[in-house]
Amino acid sequence: MTDQPSYRYVVLGAGRQGTAAAYDLALMGNAAEIMLCDLDGEVACRSAERVNRLVGREVARGRPLDVTDHAALRQALEGADVALSAVPYTYNLDITRDAIAAGVSLCDMGGNTDVVMAQLALTDEAARAGVSILPDCGMGPGLVNVLAVYVMELLDETRAVYIYDGGLPQHPEPPWNYQLTFHINGLTNEYDGEVAQIRDGKIVMVEALSHCQMVDLAPLGTFESFIAAGASTAPWTFEGLLEHFETRILRYPGHYAQFKAFKLLGLFSREPIQVGDQIVIPREVYHALLAPKIMVPGIRDICIMRGKGVGVKDGHETTAIVDLVDRYDEATGFTGMERLTGWHCAIMMGFQARGIVPPGAKPLERLLLDGMPSAAQVMEEVARRGITFTVRYEKHSG
């Protein structure tokens, strides 16, 4: 029996999700070495020490790095098999160019569809360099895209796909009944602007933070669901394949009215306004006031995801439903959000390292539809990590 191949990984950004990804790569990704890079070298070293302590071997090391220093970044990437960008999306296009120049495959956590489209336009350069570029990994986008394709795989024909996801406190406390596990600007971005969806086979733009509906997710309870950003390129990939595609976020009852009021008040705006003798940016004031109220240290969270596909199976009109739930892990200290975000990135990096993801740049859901890998293979990896999900079918009467 031959030894399994081992790989060298680089993680750019040693924060919450970057550390969770590094841990999974060390445990499940056949990692020979993981270099954790951060602008703050002490943060990078603490992250590496945490990973090494949790996995019981010296596999990770920390390094100070400014990702805007292109020469230093390319040097850090040299000799790696796959890198992860866990820094803000504004840096991802330049990081992609540097990864291609260094001959290293790249995964990232997305965050802005326009940036992703610019990365995907580099597919020919990536293919010539023999590397794969895979934006939009994590929980959403990322696992939500996987669930969308997975429910399509479960059916013989699919007409409509509905995706629900949310990260919430296990024990909500009023008045907010919500706790944040990522930067507050990401939350506002999910609720602002317009979201691409598919209606009657065509892409339409729908206002974010709209069309609130209640959804029963027994035994967890009843939640609000409303339109929000989350699946990035998926509507364009699914156009022509689906009649209907919709992404909804999950929150405890009451959240929608609170945040809709903030939005209608103009607090999401980036346009400066005059208040007395001061010029202020409403969004910055809003974030400064709200973030301390909903960012709680030591959060025990629960992450809930549902994929629902409507179509035909075995000649019958059928709905396929996949429910996934994950919670804060007491043993490692990783939140459910960190696990689902960082671990999905690590799963996809493993597929990249093994050459299952081909050279070039394609949207995640397009790779899954092409079976490189399949959504079922990704979900098998999710299950291997102890993240539980259920699959059930509802046949339609008549």
Side-chain angles (χ1 to χ4, degrees), residues 277-293:
D277 59 355
Q278 300 290 324
I279 299 294
V280 299
I281 297 174
R283 182 179 288 215
E284 292 183 359
V285 175
Y286 167 61
H287 286 174
L289 292 172
L290 182 61
K293 305 293 186 183

Side-chain angles (χ1 to χ4, degrees), residues 216-223 302 304 306 323 325 327 390 392:
D216 181 25
L217 297 174
L220 299 174
T222 300
F223 298 82
I302 179 170
I304 308 165
R306 166 171 284 185
D323 285 327
V325 178
R327 294 175 173 84
T390 60
R392 60 190 172 90

Side-chain angles (χ1 to χ4, degrees), residues 127-209:
R128 285 194 293 270
V131 301
S132 59
I133 304 300
L134 187 53
D136 279 342
C137 292
M139 181 176 172
L143 265 179
V144 297
N145 306 59
V146 176
L147 280 185
V149 179
Y150 188 47
V151 295
M152 295 168 72
E153 291 179 1
L154 294 173
L155 296 168
D156 300 325
E157 302 172 25
T158 311
R159 294 189 305 275
V161 171
Y162 303 84
I163 298 297
Y164 307 80
D165 78 296
L168 297 163
Q170 292 184 31
H171 308 290
E173 296 182 4
W176 310 109
N177 294 320
Y178 180 74
Q179 293 173 355
L180 194 62
T181 56
F182 52 95
H183 195 281
I184 191 169
N185 199 54
L187 179 72
T188 306
N189 285 339
E190 287 183 343
Y191 294 175
D192 201 16
E194 293 183 319
V195 183
Q197 311 273 267
I198 298 176
R199 302 283 188 275
D200 298 321
K202 301 295 183 182
I203 289 179
V204 297
M205 302 306 294
V206 181
E207 182 190 356
L209 195 59

